[in-house]
Amino acid sequence: MARKRVILELGTGNDLHGGDYTKAALRAVQDALHHSSLTMIRTLKVDAKTGMFVDVTIGVQQPDKVDLEKVRASLPHGIVTVKAVKGGLDVSDPDGKDIAVIASAAVAVRLELP
């Protein structure tokens, strides 16, 4: 059977003070998840732990500062893969002493379908 994408949800998150890329990424993923209801998973009788494949892409200005394992662990179901890429936005305050990190998340769900 081929794995086919059935859902793509997008989210944004931020850490307004502290420059924490992981915190912003986690908030972006949660934002994306809160836009979805995966009722079709139950309708199709898919085992959400073994038959649902979740691919997460996080966009931030400094991808190497995202704790990918923390992001992976935040997803409640599926076989999860996470990658961080250059994207998002860093916004400095006028003095350059504080940074607001804005992250974007794309959460794709694939199922094995005939």
Side-chain angles (χ1 to χ4, degrees):
M1 285 196 260
R3 291 182 189 164
K4 297 188 179 185
R5 185 173 74 187
V6 295
I7 293 172
L8 175 64
E9 285 294 345
L10 308 174
T12 58
N14 61 68
D15 180 28
L16 294 177
H17 303 285
D20 189 324
Y21 290 87
T22 299
K23 184 185 287 187
L26 288 166
R27 289 175 174 170
V29 168
Q30 289 303 307
D31 182 49
L33 293 180
H34 286 93
H35 293 136
S36 285
S37 175
L38 303 179
T39 57
M40 78 171 150
I41 302 296
R42 284 189 294 269
T43 301
L44 295 173
K45 298 184 179 5
V46 172
D47 182 340
K49 293 187 189 294
T50 61
M52 186 170 83
F53 301 87
V54 182
D55 299 317
V56 178
T57 304
I58 302 295
V60 290
Q61 284 292 295
Q62 296 187 44
D64 57 314
K65 292 189 177 180
V66 176
D67 184 334
L68 301 178
E69 181 54 31
K70 278 188 181 178
V71 175
R72 189 199 65 73
S74 74
L75 280 100
H77 302 292
I79 298 168
V80 180
T81 59
V82 180
K83 68 179 177 181
V85 299
K86 180 87 169 170
L89 185 64
D90 285 352
V91 181
S92 296
D93 69 359
D95 297 330
K97 296 178 183 174
D98 194 14
I99 186 170
V101 174
I102 303 169
S104 297
V107 180
V109 175
R110 294 178 295 123
L111 302 177
E112 289 187 348
L113 300 171

